[in-house]
Amino acid sequence: KERVFNRRFLVMANHYMVEPTACSPASGWEKGQVENQVQTARGRFFQPRLRFTGLEELNGWLEAECRRWAELHQHPEQKELTVAQAWAAERAVLQPVVAPFDGFHESEHAVSGTCLISFDRNRYSVSARVVRRAVQVRAYADRIVVRCDGEVVADHPRFFGRDRTIYDPWHYLPVLVTKPGALRNGAPFQGWELPPALARLRRKLGTGDDADRRFVRVLAAVLDDGLEAVE
């Protein structure tokens, strides 16, 4: 974890053209200072322990709490100001950020014969076009982006549990063209939420092998013409 943090910090420092300078090299007490700050933040914002449905809800609540706290508490050095007032004065002289920091950890993985990559004890599907090739996985706080030769071949919400397989059925469309029967039995297509127009067509065609083949012929057009045109 420490190596990952150091690598991310150096990338961020390079992005913002910051020259990091150690305050006290080889000073063991700095670790204790960081731990103390974590305990302070935990006691200030996370006690009693709260529950959130996801990172977005957590971040929204935390931002509101930080702003509320800053407005109510005195600045530790500029006693005549609140933390919020000191921040407002400082913010006016800060250099604006040209673009948001693209914060991710990248690692290389091999795509299996079933169009899956393994990452952090879970499996994520990628486009069938890159089966059995090496891809670059960019892990963000909330999503997993997979690239191959500079092209995005998968983009999934990140799952923090274990031993789960996350499918995108569209990744398997080239396989489905050659094996229409997988439409009913293949794991990637279970519970597939099709766009409304295609869902209506699927119901109208009915079930059976012939219906599957006819529907897959329509889906195959997405490979050449795109989903919007096919809809």
Side-chain angles (χ1 to χ4, degrees):
K1 290 183 179 178
E2 184 176 352
R3 288 197 300 271
V4 171
F5 172 80
N6 290 338
R7 184 161 58 248
R8 289 178 178 173
F9 176 77
L10 291 175
V11 170
M12 184 175 69
N14 181 65
H15 176 84
Y16 287 118
M17 296 181 290
V18 173
E19 184 65 33
T21 303
C23 300
S24 307
S27 295
W29 59 266
E30 287 192 342
K31 178 177 182 292
Q33 186 182 52
V34 171
E35 291 175 346
N36 181 61
Q37 291 170 350
V38 170
Q39 290 294 336
T40 299
R42 182 178 294 168
R44 186 174 293 167
F45 300 116
F46 294 104
Q47 289 181 352
R49 185 174 296 179
L50 304 171
R51 291 184 179 276
F52 301 92
T53 58
L55 285 175
E56 185 175 350
E57 182 184 356
L58 166 62
N59 287 333
W61 176 88
L62 186 57
E63 180 181 357
E65 282 297 297
C66 287
R67 291 182 182 277
R68 184 185 66 81
W69 189 93
E71 290 173 356
L72 296 176
H73 289 77
Q74 187 182 55
H75 191 276
E77 296 174 0
Q78 304 177 53
K79 305 295 186 181
E80 71 282 3
L81 301 175
T82 64
V83 173
Q85 290 169 335
W87 162 238
E90 181 181 0
R91 188 176 186 178
V93 296
L94 293 176
Q95 181 178 348
V97 178
V98 178
F101 174 64
D102 192 18
F104 59 85
H105 170 59
E106 184 173 281
S107 54
E108 189 165 285
H109 297 258
V111 181
S112 72
T114 52
C115 310
L116 296 170
I117 56 105
S118 295
F119 177 79
D120 198 20
R121 296 292 299 272
N122 293 296
R123 295 168 297 280
Y124 297 86
S125 69
V126 301
S127 173
R129 295 182 288 104
V130 295
V131 65
R132 302 191 187 282
R133 294 182 61 182
V135 294
Q136 293 72 49
V137 177
R138 293 185 174 184
Y140 292 83
D142 58 349
R143 72 186 200 278
I144 299 293
V145 177
V146 185
R147 301 170 65 91
C148 184
D149 295 334
E151 179 187 0
V152 175
V153 293
D155 190 338
H156 293 277
R158 186 170 180 177
F159 183 70
F160 287 96
R162 291 186 174 185
D163 303 321
R164 178 173 170 180
T165 302
I166 296 91
Y167 292 112
D168 181 343
W170 293 105
H171 290 156
Y172 293 87
L173 189 52
V175 178
L176 192 60
V177 170
T178 60
K179 299 179 179 179
L183 186 62
R184 278 181 291 163
N185 304 314
F189 308 107
Q190 302 304 306
W192 188 4
E193 294 185 7
L194 289 161
L198 291 174
R200 287 196 300 271
L201 176 62
R202 176 77 171 135
R203 290 193 298 269
K204 197 172 187 66
L205 289 173
T207 59
D209 293 342
D210 184 58
D212 289 343
R213 284 192 292 268
R214 294 172 66 187
F215 186 61
V216 168
R217 281 201 296 271
V218 175
L219 291 177
V222 173
L223 294 172
D224 297 321
D225 303 312
L227 179 58
E228 184 177 357
V230 173
E231 282 194 273

